[in-house]
Amino acid sequence: MDNRNHSANVLIHLHMPKTGGTTLKKIIKRNYDSRKSVDVYEEHHKLPGIFKGLSKQNIECVQGHLPFGVHEYFNRPTTYITMLRDPVDRVISEYYFIRNIEWHNLHESVMKMSLEEYQALPKNRNLQTRYILGGQLTSVTEVNRAKNILKNHFAVVGLTEKFDASLFLMKEMFNWKQVAYQKYNVTKKRRSKEEISPNLLEKIAKNNEADLELYAFAKELLTKRIRALDPLSAYRLKRFERKHQQGFHGKRDR
């Protein structure tokens, strides 16, 4: 698999909320020097000052709930990765996650909301597309620009639903050795999509039309990427997926 020297670039993990990003973040941390790996989980208006400082440091990796565009602060080559998730499932998971975590800054307010009220809030609509567009989405027609960003600026766009295949592509691309994992921040005590009324599911889908289109595009990209693997890489992917499905906990994948 051609890694095109991406491993030499500053890695930017655009950690999309409730997509398996915390699990991925912990995997990434084990593969970079802790002195050169930085987490940035701050409000977006604080990012310019933070990244101006980071751009002067010899860092190799930065992770956080970051909008696309922070690469512009660096005068070195950068590479993005991210994970996307089925938008309807992501909204449901996020709602119940916040309700289950008492220390979450939105816990108190979300405890007073129904899922229908939560999903209707403008800030909870098309979140994934907004992150890829740099934080703003003025029209659902802008999803085509988001698709181009994914295609041209992201080394790997993974999917929560294909986590192991996504992780395999990333580890090959960046030569990661420590990739065994356990899942973190899994939402407990949540309803499945099957337990939610079709009417409400339809409303969530309607409010996330851009995300649904972007997710479908990302799924297509990932599928093409997997199908393009050479025979040896395809075999190693199947072996990798099988190990993790069987609860593999070794220190490295060979």
Side-chain angles (χ1 to χ4, degrees):
M1 184 181 297
D2 177 21
N3 65 20
R4 294 179 293 176
N5 295 318
H6 281 299
S7 59
N9 298 349
V10 177
L11 176 67
I12 301 174
H13 171 206
L14 194 161
H15 178 178
M16 202 72 72
K18 296 310 298 173
T19 62
T22 299
T23 300
L24 179 59
K25 178 182 73 173
K26 291 181 180 295
I27 294 170
I28 292 172
K29 278 182 170 295
R30 297 202 305 273
N31 288 279
Y32 289 86
D33 186 333
S34 61
R35 297 167 297 181
K36 298 181 180 181
S37 177
V38 180
D39 291 351
V40 179
Y41 289 88
E42 297 288 349
E43 296 177 8
H44 287 184
H45 72 271
K46 297 180 181 179
L47 296 182
I50 293 172
F51 274 87
K52 285 178 183 177
L54 289 178
S55 66
K56 300 174 184 178
Q57 301 177 29
N58 183 28
I59 66 170
E60 297 177 345
C61 172
V62 58
Q63 305 191 75
H65 294 320
L66 307 168
F68 175 78
V70 295
H71 66 283
E72 296 178 356
Y73 290 99
F74 293 96
N75 56 10
R76 291 176 286 156
T78 58
T79 298
Y80 281 92
I81 60 171
T82 195
M83 299 286 289
L84 300 186
R85 182 176 185 176
D86 172 83
V88 175
D89 202 43
R90 197 207 68 79
V91 170
I92 296 169
S93 177
E94 185 174 65
Y95 170 74
Y96 285 105
F97 176 75
I98 295 172
R99 288 173 65 90
N100 289 335
I101 304 298
E102 293 185 1
W103 49 260
H104 197 287
N105 64 326
L106 296 177
H107 174 78
E108 186 174 343
S109 60
V110 174
M111 286 300 292
K112 300 174 183 177
M113 297 181 196
S114 66
L115 173 59
E116 183 166 358
E117 291 170 328
Y118 180 81
Q119 66 84 31
L121 294 175
K123 69 182 182 68
N124 295 328
R125 302 179 185 182
N126 295 308
L127 180 141
Q128 296 177 97
T129 306
R130 286 191 282 112
Y131 266 78
I132 299 303
L133 288 174
Q136 298 293 327
L137 174 65
T138 57
S139 169
V140 293
T141 60
E142 288 189 285
V143 70
N144 286 330
R145 184 161 63 89
K147 292 178 184 178
N148 287 330
I149 290 172
L150 288 185
K151 185 175 181 179
N152 297 319
H153 294 276
F154 283 74
V156 180
V157 180
L159 299 179
T160 306
E161 295 79 4
K162 295 286 291 183
F163 188 90
D164 287 338
S166 304
L167 176 58
F168 177 82
L169 294 175
M170 291 176 187
K171 88 176 189 68
E172 294 291 289
M173 179 71 69
F174 301 105
N175 196 30
W176 296 342
K177 304 299 182 185
Q178 304 291 336
V179 293
Y181 70 89
Q182 66 182 71
K183 294 181 179 180
Y184 291 88
N185 279 4
V186 177
T187 302
K188 301 176 181 178
K189 299 178 182 178
R190 59 154 286 183
R191 292 185 181 181
S192 66
K193 289 171 70 172
E194 292 72 25
E195 297 175 296
I196 295 171
S197 71
N199 181 56
L200 179 51
L201 291 176
E202 185 177 336
K203 288 181 179 179
I204 298 174
K206 181 68 175 177
N207 285 332
N208 289 275
E209 288 182 335
D211 271 14
L212 284 165
E213 186 173 342
L214 189 67
Y215 174 79
F217 178 75
K219 188 174 182 179
E220 181 181 335
L221 287 180
L222 186 64
T223 299
K224 288 181 178 179
R225 190 80 167 267
I226 293 171
R227 288 176 177 170
L229 291 174
D230 61 79
L232 178 58
S233 295
Y235 167 77
R236 294 180 63 244
L237 168 58
K238 289 182 180 179
R239 184 168 173 263
F240 183 81
E241 290 179 315
R242 188 164 55 248
K243 283 182 176 179
H244 285 86
Q245 289 168 0
Q246 294 172 350
F248 172 64
H249 295 295
K251 290 186 177 180
R252 66 173 63 191
D253 174 74
R254 298 186 183 277

